[in-house]
């Protein structure tokens, strides 16, 4: 089996529960997918405050929720479908208050009421879903549940992804979602350390941050907005 075939198999595994259960059972050391909090907070904190109710979806064993908690973002629900990692994280943070919690659940069936969260933070979850089987159907389920769980006038869905805009916007910019989608990019952590000379125009050197911000006026005419 050549390297590209191995990578294709590994990529598909990111969408499978069995892969994550095995990974977290074998290694409980924190692993940071894509970016750490220091590289993201200047963008993320534009959309939240210390009273925001945050859903960290596909949390894994990342240090990000702890880093955010220490900066005053204390209302955080961390969710993953891996029993191994949720049990580990519950034990690790058992001394933390009840509003900093870890929940075992599938992002395709979020166990929360409508209009519950100010922010849903997703670092690699949507990417993992899109790498698995039935990616179109499963990604739609995930996004629909996130949309349902967000507060309808003020909620924001923030996605950290390796997917280029032409790969992710078709999933996020559907007419049924009453939000405005913007994106920015951030250098991958290893880009600058590999060489002092790199191609800034090469999109493969970046991760993308997609921000889906609820907009109650989305799709309305100016007359409708001002009540004419």
């Amino acid at each position: 089996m050549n390297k590209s075939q191995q990578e294709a198999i590994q990529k598909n595994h990111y969408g499978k529960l069995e892969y994550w259960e095995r990974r977290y059972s074998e290694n409980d050391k924190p692993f940071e997918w894509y970016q750490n909090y220091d590289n993201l907070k200047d963008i993320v904190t534009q959309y939240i405050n210390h009273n925001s109710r945050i859903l960290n979806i596909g949390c894994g064993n990342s240090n990000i929720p702890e880093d955010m908690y220490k900066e005053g973002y204390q209302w955080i629900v961390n969710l993953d479908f891996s029993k191994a990692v949720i049990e580990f994280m519950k034990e690790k943070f058992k001394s933390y208050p009840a509003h900093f919690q870890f929940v075992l659940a599938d992002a395709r069936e979020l166990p929360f009421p409508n209009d519950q969260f100010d922010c849903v933070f997703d670092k690699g979850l949507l990417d993992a879903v899109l790498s698995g089987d039935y990616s179109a159907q499963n990604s739609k389920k995930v996004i629909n549940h996130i949309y349902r769980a967000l507060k309808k006038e003020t909620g924001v869905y923030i996605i950290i992804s390796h997917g280029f805009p032409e790969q992710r916007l078709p999933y996020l910019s559907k007419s049924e979602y009453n939000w405005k989608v913007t994106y920015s990019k951030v250098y991958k952590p290893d880009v600058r350390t590999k060489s002092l000379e790199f191609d800034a125009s090469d999109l493969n050197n970046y991760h993308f941050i997609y921000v889906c911000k609820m907009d109650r006026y989305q799709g309305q005419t100016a007359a409708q907005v001002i009540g004419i």
Side-chain angles (χ1 to χ4, degrees):
M1 184 181 297
N2 61 38
K3 183 178 179 181
S4 62
Q5 289 173 321
Q6 291 175 338
E7 289 176 347
I9 292 174
Q10 182 85 336
K11 180 181 178 183
N12 182 260
H13 285 178
Y14 291 154
K16 294 184 180 295
L17 175 60
E18 294 84 357
Y19 168 82
W20 296 107
E21 290 286 30
R22 184 175 66 253
R23 180 188 179 100
Y24 291 129
S25 296
E26 293 174 352
N27 189 349
D28 59 11
K29 293 182 179 179
F31 183 83
E32 212 63 82
W33 292 93
Y34 299 166
Q35 301 281 340
N36 62 29
Y37 180 59
D38 284 342
N39 293 339
L40 298 172
K41 65 180 181 180
D42 286 348
I43 294 177
V44 173
T45 56
Q46 294 179 42
Y47 300 96
I48 57 176
N49 59 54
H50 289 169
N51 294 318
S52 295
R53 294 180 180 270
I54 300 166
L55 174 61
N56 177 27
I57 195 166
C59 63
N61 56 13
S62 165
N63 287 321
I64 280 186
E66 182 179 14
D67 293 339
M68 294 183 71
Y69 182 88
K70 290 176 179 178
E71 287 205 347
Y73 303 98
Q74 299 190 0
W75 292 90
I76 305 178
V77 176
N78 303 283
L79 180 144
D80 206 289
F81 72 165
S82 167
K83 183 178 180 181
V85 80
I86 289 296
E87 288 183 347
F88 173 79
M89 296 297 271
K90 279 184 174 180
E91 178 65 21
K92 180 178 180 179
F93 293 101
K94 62 184 179 182
S95 64
Y96 279 54
H99 48 74
F100 183 86
Q101 58 184 293
F102 289 85
V103 174
L104 177 64
D106 192 319
R108 294 170 295 184
E109 293 288 341
L110 292 180
F112 308 113
N114 296 349
D115 307 320
Q116 183 79 356
F117 295 100
D118 298 290
C119 174
V120 175
F121 179 78
D122 168 354
K123 185 157 69 79
L125 182 278
L126 184 60
D127 284 0
V129 172
L130 287 171
S131 75
D133 297 329
Y134 307 106
S135 59
Q137 300 95 313
N138 285 329
S139 62
K140 184 173 179 61
K141 289 180 181 178
V142 169
I143 298 171
N144 284 351
H145 270 275
I146 288 171
Y147 184 80
R148 177 187 62 75
L150 278 171
K151 294 181 180 178
K152 289 301 173 287
E153 292 196 1
T154 59
V156 60
Y157 175 30
I158 301 174
I159 308 107
I160 317 303
S161 172
H162 68 73
F164 296 165
E166 60 267 26
Q167 298 170 326
R168 294 295 177 262
L169 292 179
Y171 294 98
L172 300 172
S173 299
K174 295 182 181 295
S175 59
E176 62 258 40
Y177 304 134
N178 193 35
W179 57 31
K180 180 179 179 181
V181 183
T182 58
Y183 65 89
S184 56
K185 56 186 186 293
V186 58
Y187 287 116
K188 292 179 178 178
D190 62 343
V191 167
R192 290 185 183 275
T193 59
K194 286 180 178 177
S195 172
L196 293 178
E197 296 182 5
F198 59 91
D199 185 359
S201 65
D202 184 356
L203 295 182
N204 290 297
N205 288 325
Y206 299 92
H207 289 130
F208 294 86
I209 304 175
Y210 298 93
V211 176
C212 306
K213 182 76 173 68
M214 289 293 191
D215 182 358
R216 60 179 172 172
Y217 301 127
Q218 184 84 355
Q220 296 185 38
T221 66
Q224 288 172 320
V225 169
I226 63 176
I228 297 175

